[in-house]
Amino acid sequence: MGAPATAYDEKETCGTVCLKYLLFTFNFLFWLAGGVVMAVGIWTLVEKSDYISLLSSATYAASAYILILAGAIVMVTGVLGCCATFKEQRRLLRVYFVLLLCIFLLEILAGVLAYIYYQQLNEELKQNLQETMVQKYRQPEQEHITKAVDKLQQEFKCCGSNSSSDWGESVWIRTNEADGRLVPDSCCKTQTLGCGHRDHPSNIYKVEGGCITKLENFILDHLKIIGAVGVGIACVQIVGMVFTCCLYRSLKAEPY
């Protein structure tokens, strides 16, 4: 009876070792993925923060903050997973599994927020972007809006929320400060001081759908990136949770 027991123990030990290295490899990839998730969230807030100021809803920014939080937890969890794997401590494995589950729920929340915002984005832009541009551009204590609008029009090569004629309703255009400009200088194909005095198509951007269409397409593309990253990490997590359960059961079966 002794020989079969020894063979069983060797088989069990071999299976545990394989699971350990599989889980270690997973945790290394998971740690790298956490860095990617954080990078996407930080990029959204830092690089595109000007555009966020043009949106009335905080949902888009909230999705980015959730990604940063999830990414940070993922990186910490990856280190914890490596420690739990090599020390073969079931208590650490339980904590690791709970953290994986929390991250999974955070990513689902980010995905739900992104989907909800995807549905309401067009309506929000139609209702708020034009009002923001004509009421707040070049107004006192609205420097961030002015910077965002100028950057939007130059980067996306557009003029006005729906068309360049929207600027005719601008509070700033109607003041002496505008110095007779018909549109802001940022509407010009070649931006120079005072170029906004002419609104001819040869001088300014005339884009069908205006900046609303451009900004909407940009945000939708970015939401797809957030969604793809979230789904990818979630799939990796499921694999990690399966490995964790297998290793936990294997360690539980071993004698102390």
Side-chain angles (χ1 to χ4, degrees):
M1 294 296 291
T6 302
Y8 175 80
D9 290 342
E10 290 178 354
K11 183 179 179 182
E12 191 74 16
T13 302
C14 180
T16 301
V17 170
C18 290
L19 281 172
K20 281 176 61 177
Y21 282 102
L22 281 172
L23 195 54
F24 176 78
T25 303
F26 162 81
N27 279 302
F28 177 71
L29 295 174
F30 195 51
W31 183 84
L32 289 178
V36 172
V37 171
M38 279 192 68
V40 171
I42 292 171
W43 176 73
T44 300
L45 292 177
V46 175
E47 185 67 18
K48 305 304 175 184
S49 60
D50 292 332
Y51 298 149
I52 291 175
S53 67
L54 296 176
L55 305 173
S56 60
S57 171
T59 309
Y60 183 64
S63 297
Y65 282 117
I66 290 173
L67 278 181
I68 293 173
L69 177 61
I73 297 175
V74 163
M75 296 186 77
V76 173
T77 302
V79 175
L80 178 62
C82 289
C83 294
T85 300
F86 278 101
K87 289 188 176 182
E88 298 186 7
Q89 293 185 4
R90 288 173 291 148
R91 181 178 298 176
L92 280 177
L93 284 174
R94 285 198 296 268
V95 174
Y96 173 67
F97 183 86
V98 170
L99 284 174
L100 282 180
L101 188 59
C102 290
I103 297 166
F104 186 75
L105 294 175
L106 273 175
E107 287 165 350
I108 290 177
L109 177 60
V112 170
L113 286 174
Y115 179 77
I116 292 172
Y117 195 58
Y118 183 93
Q119 301 299 315
Q120 69 184 38
L121 178 61
N122 182 267
E123 193 61 32
E124 178 185 332
L125 288 177
K126 285 181 179 177
Q127 290 179 355
N128 298 292
L129 185 59
Q130 181 175 357
E131 181 181 351
T132 298
M133 293 175 79
V134 301
Q135 297 293 331
K136 297 182 180 180
Y137 185 79
R138 297 274 185 176
Q139 296 304 298
E141 300 182 0
Q142 298 295 337
E143 290 82 6
H144 63 294
I145 296 294
T146 301
K147 180 183 176 182
V149 170
D150 286 337
K151 183 178 179 180
L152 174 69
Q153 295 190 139
Q154 276 294 297
E155 285 196 358
F156 292 149
K157 303 184 188 314
C158 58
C159 183
S161 55
N162 293 289
S163 69
S164 59
S165 61
D166 292 336
W167 284 110
E169 302 175 18
S170 169
V171 173
W172 173 71
I173 288 291
R174 296 176 179 178
T175 64
N176 293 330
E177 186 184 347
D179 193 28
R181 288 177 176 85
L182 300 175
V183 294
D185 293 342
S186 57
C187 281
C188 299
K189 294 177 180 179
T190 302
Q191 187 175 354
T192 57
L193 184 63
C195 64
H197 286 100
R198 291 179 62 245
D199 60 356
H200 192 272
S202 63
N203 184 50
I204 68 171
Y205 296 113
K206 294 275 190 178
V207 181
E208 185 177 350
C211 292
I212 283 181
T213 302
K214 294 279 190 175
L215 183 58
E216 180 183 9
N217 290 337
F218 166 79
I219 294 177
L220 291 181
D221 288 342
H222 199 68
L223 287 175
K224 288 175 185 176
I225 293 174
I226 292 176
V229 169
V231 169
I233 299 298
C235 291
V236 172
Q237 282 177 251
I238 292 172
V239 175
M241 285 190 278
V242 171
F243 284 159
T244 304
C245 289
C246 292
L247 181 59
Y248 181 84
R249 291 179 62 185
S250 175
L251 292 176
K252 193 173 183 179
E254 292 177 353
Y256 289 98

